[in-house]
Amino acid sequence: MDPVERMLAEHACERLQVTYALTADWGDADGFAALFTEDAAIHIPEYPPFAGYAAIHDSLLGLAGTGVTMRHVITNQQVTVTGPASAIGICYLIVYD
């Protein structure tokens, strides 16, 4: 992978982190759930895991229906490309409601 391809892959991963935050903030359950594979799971402290597309979709839909307003703040994003179709990423995620 050349440096430009690596940079584009890193940018795409960082954009994925931002899209996660924005779709959650907007209560966009379809857009949010589309970010995950069918067998994905979200683990949030103090809640049972949301496992699978339907559970992820419905959890955000239910939360949005309560009128809760969330704002996600993402900092310190770092993505390391580990192969042509793989990367490892980390960020700090703060959620205000």
Side-chain angles (χ1 to χ4, degrees):
M1 176 176 283
D2 70 39
V4 172
E5 290 172 325
R6 181 174 301 278
M7 181 181 62
L8 291 172
E10 290 168 353
H11 175 73
C13 292
E14 290 168 356
R15 185 171 178 86
L16 178 62
Q17 292 172 334
V18 171
T19 303
Y20 171 100
L22 292 175
T23 55
D25 289 349
W26 297 333
D28 177 3
D30 293 336
F32 185 76
L35 300 173
F36 297 90
T37 61
E38 181 57 43
D39 61 347
I42 298 177
H43 299 270
I44 300 172
E46 302 176 14
Y47 291 91
F50 302 108
Y53 177 92
I56 292 170
H57 177 274
D58 293 348
S59 68
L60 187 62
L61 195 62
L63 186 61
T66 67
V68 168
T69 300
M70 293 184 293
R71 293 297 175 254
H72 291 72
V73 178
I74 299 173
T75 66
N76 297 9
Q77 291 175 281
Q78 183 181 41
V79 174
T80 302
V81 175
T82 57
S86 61
I88 296 172
I90 190 168
C91 67
Y92 296 155
L93 177 64
I94 302 164
V95 181
Y96 296 96
D97 62 7

